[in-house]
Amino acid sequence: MLTPLTLLVPPASPPSLFSFNRFSHFPFSTSISATTTSASDLLRVVSRRLVLATKTQSITTMASQEEECKGNLKAQLAKLFEVSLKVTVPNEADVDPLIAACTGKFGDYQCNNAMGLWSKIKGKGTQFRGPPAVGEAIKNNLPTSEMIDSCSVAGPGFVNVVLSKNWMAKSIQKMLVEGIDTWAPQPPVKTAVVDFSSPNIAKEMHVGHLRSTIIGDTLARMLEFSKVKVLRRNHVGDWGTQFGMLIEFLFEKFPNFEDATETAIGDLQAFYKASKQRFDSDPAFKERGQQAVVRLQGGEEKYRRAWAQICEISRTEFHKVYQRLGVHLEEKGESFYNPYIPGVIEGLTKQGLVEESQGARVIFIEGINIPLIVVKSDGGFNYASTDLAALWYRLNEEKAEWIIYVTDVGQQQHFDMVFKAAKRAGWLPQGDNYPKASHVGFGLVLGEDGKRFRTRNTEVVRLVDLLDEAKNRSKAALIERGKGEEWTEEEIESTADAVGYGAVKYADLKSNRLTNYTFNFDQMLNDKGNTAVYLLYAHARICSIIRRSGKDVEELKNKGTLVLEHKDERDLGLHLLQFAEVVEEACTNLLPNVVCDYLYNLSEIFSKFYSNAECKVIGSDKETSRLLLCEATAVVMRKCFNLLGITPIYKI
């Protein structure tokens, strides 16, 4: 039993860790030539908060006001409009720029503040006579910037901005020289925990674990790209009453249990089912299993060794899946947090949060008609006990500022209750401030019959078999196309890995995670449409164009000049420059499909550019510029693949 733990409780005046002000959005530096000294002064005193038109909490921040925001177009424009808004309505506090991409033909982005401002200032003796006049003033008060080519006001005061194509071209070329990491978001957190995959020991990983593993890995990758320290946690189910049953069955089958291997035990799922059947049908075995739990939890050495043996065999099976998916996790299962539970419960009890109810100890959550049970009526702990202890540990010991749980939508209420209990305890601040905990739910994987995806005999699909099937189909398609004669065996294998596993990942990630999706090999391995195969081949074609030119693209980056003269060149350049804000949006809202949508659109826009006879690349008088545009597209595509956990291919 641990001594009572010191709980993380904010005082009446919360420290900066609990205050969103710590993560307020500093103004971004861009190339601004202020027309007057007053405009320059305003730049230093404008509001630190930044709310973009997406109406999501922006996760971009800065280390200092002088640091340059190199990627996010919305953020850079917002900084300019902050200056203008301060001049236009100096008496209105907390006016945040509302910047959105234009959907019409009047510009690239627009500022949408005029109507909202008019509703605030009319009747206050303002000089303006309606939203269009406010919009005109916002436009006229914008600081000079090489970023902007022109501005216009449309409708009820929308300020439309056309970006300078010269500035766009220089920004893309700068990324090519300095690297795409300069376009990474800058989140308001330094350390995050992503809790994902989390299978149960002695059970097969199924398609639900596939979704959690793929989505969780992508979220971790996006945060890591954003220079956040990510603690990738595999919260495996390695503790509980079922282990008495499993240990006793192991003793029975293998008296020298330490010699038992994965091969000897055979199918883990079959081993679990056989032990469960014995447990349910044999009272004497059931009693021995229950006693085994007590001995295990009491720390008896033989039972601990047997438990560790079962866990290790399971890990070997899990590793086969993680190896194929290229996923890395650090296991901290239920057993890790078990020693912390008594102290956490005692601390919550001292705060008056834990109450007696029908023999159990519970926490009542406002607005929810069932309590959160933290100690069962028999005195045992449960999932809520473990999850509270894990949350406490992650906040206090690991100093995480954002804790993300990736599980199916069916666990939404459970985590909602755990988070609300943590807020009642003062571990987490009220509202959506940091540190915070987020549940990332996801829907079901369906078969073609519209029901939960299973094999024909109703068994859960083994993930290793499913992934191997995807690879084998991909390999067969390559051989059918004659690559067996052209490529080495190693090239065939690596391409089949990239395409097969990438196809499974992309099919999962491209839809909003909250929706169900139908698992269909033929669709996901199609080389046309919005599939990983199509996108991987598109990237390989771009690489082929650069190779066929015979030019050293690294030399071109430093000596050549990128220009965006043709409309299709400019459209492609604009989409490339929107990469940073797309990744920021995906991180903020924990939605990998946003990156998938961007990647597919990028491929389509590039195809339009390349297929236009007026935009000929090799042999044209603009070959150097267009090769640089091809390289920039390939660089951004590769980073998107990396964020999605997909390995790019370079030839087809």
Side-chain angles (χ1 to χ4, degrees), residues 504-575:
V504 173
K505 288 186 177 185
Y506 190 81
D508 190 301
L509 295 168
K510 72 178 182 179
S511 299
N512 186 303
R513 57 177 166 75
L514 292 171
T515 62
N516 302 335
Y517 81 95
T518 301
F519 193 97
N520 183 301
F521 276 122
D522 291 334
Q523 288 180 7
M524 65 178 58
L525 290 167
N526 196 329
D527 61 2
K528 296 179 177 63
N530 189 9
T531 67
V533 185
Y534 169 76
L535 294 167
L536 286 166
Y537 285 3
H539 172 264
R541 289 189 187 98
I542 297 172
C543 295
S544 175
I545 294 166
I546 297 170
R547 283 196 303 271
R548 284 191 288 112
S549 75
K551 299 293 177 64
D552 182 343
V553 74
E554 294 302 319
E555 184 178 343
L556 295 183
K557 289 178 186 179
N558 292 290
K559 295 184 178 179
T561 302
L562 177 63
V563 294
L564 301 172
E565 295 295 340
H566 192 279
K567 180 183 182 302
D568 288 351
E569 291 175 321
R570 190 183 187 282
D571 288 347
L572 179 56
L574 178 61
H575 196 72

Side-chain angles (χ1 to χ4, degrees), residues 617-638:
V617 178
I618 298 176
S620 74
D621 59 352
K622 293 186 174 60
E623 179 180 89
T624 295
S625 172
R626 289 172 181 165
L627 283 172
L628 288 172
L629 196 53
C630 289
E631 174 66 8
T633 304
V635 167
V636 172
M637 288 188 78
R638 284 195 288 275

Side-chain angles (χ1 to χ4, degrees), residues 38-301:
S38 59
S40 178
D41 291 339
L42 283 168
L43 199 56
R44 292 191 289 270
V45 297
V46 288
S47 168
R48 292 172 63 181
R49 293 193 303 120
L50 200 72
V51 178
L52 305 182
T54 54
K55 294 187 179 178
T56 61
Q57 176 194 345
S58 169
I59 65 168
T60 302
T61 189
M62 298 194 62
S64 70
Q65 293 184 350
E66 290 74 28
E67 185 176 346
E68 181 182 4
C69 174
K70 298 180 181 179
N72 192 316
L73 291 181
K74 282 184 182 178
Q76 294 182 73
L77 287 169
K79 181 184 175 184
L80 295 174
F81 278 98
E82 278 183 314
V83 176
S84 174
L85 289 168
K86 271 292 185 181
V87 175
T88 304
V89 284
N91 297 323
E92 294 296 324
D94 298 323
V95 179
D96 301 306
L98 299 175
I99 310 300
C102 281
T103 55
K105 60 183 179 180
F106 299 110
D108 301 314
Y109 285 85
Q110 63 187 35
C111 175
N112 299 329
N113 284 86
M115 290 182 67
L117 280 176
W118 173 247
S119 67
K120 285 185 174 184
I121 63 178
K122 64 181 178 180
K124 293 184 179 180
T126 177
Q127 60 180 339
F128 302 113
R129 293 294 178 266
V134 178
E136 285 289 344
I138 294 171
K139 175 179 77 87
N140 294 334
N141 288 327
L142 269 175
T144 302
S145 169
E146 65 171 340
M147 184 180 186
I148 296 176
D149 181 71
S150 63
C151 290
S152 61
V153 178
F158 299 123
V159 182
N160 295 300
V161 175
V162 176
L163 297 175
S164 161
K165 61 186 178 183
N166 292 333
W167 178 87
M168 291 167 61
K170 285 198 294 185
S171 297
I172 295 169
Q173 189 155 359
K174 190 172 184 181
M175 179 276 290
L176 284 173
V177 173
E178 297 183 354
I180 196 167
D181 285 356
T182 59
W183 282 4
Q186 298 176 25
V189 294
K190 293 181 179 178
T191 303
V193 168
V194 182
D195 179 327
F196 65 106
S197 194
S198 306
N200 288 318
I201 294 294
K203 290 187 179 181
E204 293 284 1
M205 291 180 72
H206 54 73
V207 288
H209 296 121
L210 179 69
R211 294 218 72 186
S212 176
T213 304
I214 291 172
I215 294 169
D217 180 57
T218 295
L219 297 178
R221 286 169 178 268
M222 291 194 298
L223 288 166
E224 286 162 347
F225 173 59
S226 305
K227 299 177 179 61
V228 175
K229 178 184 177 182
V230 178
L231 307 178
R232 294 161 161 260
R233 293 290 178 253
N234 201 4
H235 190 90
V236 297
D238 65 349
W239 202 248
T241 56
Q242 76 272 24
F243 278 94
M245 169 188 82
L246 291 167
I247 289 169
E248 202 57 39
F249 196 66
L250 182 67
F251 288 164
E252 193 172 88
K253 285 197 70 175
F254 301 98
N256 298 320
F257 68 89
E258 288 173 322
D259 297 328
T261 64
E262 174 197 348
T263 304
I265 287 180
D267 188 327
L268 273 172
Q269 191 76 357
F271 181 81
Y272 184 91
K273 282 186 175 181
S275 64
K276 183 71 165 65
Q277 184 178 15
R278 185 74 188 281
F279 187 84
D280 292 340
S281 61
D282 186 336
F285 178 84
K286 182 176 184 178
E287 185 177 347
R288 293 200 304 274
Q290 290 170 335
Q291 290 172 353
V293 175
V294 176
R295 291 178 173 180
L296 170 65
Q297 294 180 345
E300 196 167 322
E301 182 61 25

Side-chain angles (χ1 to χ4, degrees), residues 1 239-241 293-294 297 338 341-342 345 354 356-362 372-388:
M1 177 76 69
W239 202 248
T241 56
V293 175
V294 176
Q297 294 180 345
N338 196 63
I341 295 175
I345 300 300
V354 179
E356 297 288 333
S357 178
Q358 299 180 19
R361 299 173 68 190
V362 306
L372 184 69
I373 300 173
V374 295
V375 182
K376 297 185 292 184
S377 56
D378 63 3
F381 301 128
N382 59 6
Y383 288 124
S385 320
T386 303
D387 285 335
L388 281 169

Side-chain angles (χ1 to χ4, degrees), residues 310-439:
I310 294 169
C311 290
E312 191 56 38
I313 292 170
S314 284
R315 286 189 194 101
T316 302
E317 284 297 302
F318 299 159
H319 180 69
K320 293 177 182 178
V321 173
Y322 299 141
Q323 187 177 42
R324 285 162 173 77
L325 293 175
V327 171
H328 305 283
L329 291 125
E330 182 181 357
E331 182 180 309
K332 272 190 168 66
E334 293 174 352
S335 62
F336 178 86
Y337 302 104
N338 196 63
Y340 295 91
I341 295 175
V344 168
I345 300 300
E346 184 173 347
L348 292 170
T349 302
K350 286 183 175 179
Q351 288 183 274
L353 271 67
V354 179
E355 304 177 38
E356 297 288 333
S357 178
Q358 299 180 19
R361 299 173 68 190
V362 306
I363 299 175
F364 288 99
I365 308 296
E366 185 178 354
I368 301 177
N369 58 11
I370 58 172
L372 184 69
I373 300 173
V374 295
V375 182
K376 297 185 292 184
S377 56
D378 63 3
F381 301 128
N382 59 6
Y383 288 124
S385 320
T386 303
D387 285 335
L388 281 169
L391 180 57
W392 181 93
Y393 183 89
R394 290 162 176 175
L395 288 166
N396 287 271
E397 299 297 325
E398 296 179 322
K399 308 299 182 186
E401 295 150 299
W402 198 2
I403 304 159
I404 299 166
Y405 297 80
V406 187
T407 72
D408 64 86
V409 292
Q411 297 187 48
Q412 177 66 54
Q413 186 182 63
H414 165 75
F415 282 105
D416 184 46
M417 294 174 73
V418 169
F419 300 160
K420 286 180 176 177
K423 288 183 178 183
R424 280 194 63 194
W427 303 356
L428 295 171
Q430 297 300 321
D432 198 37
N433 298 333
Y434 293 97
K436 71 177 179 179
S438 303
H439 176 248

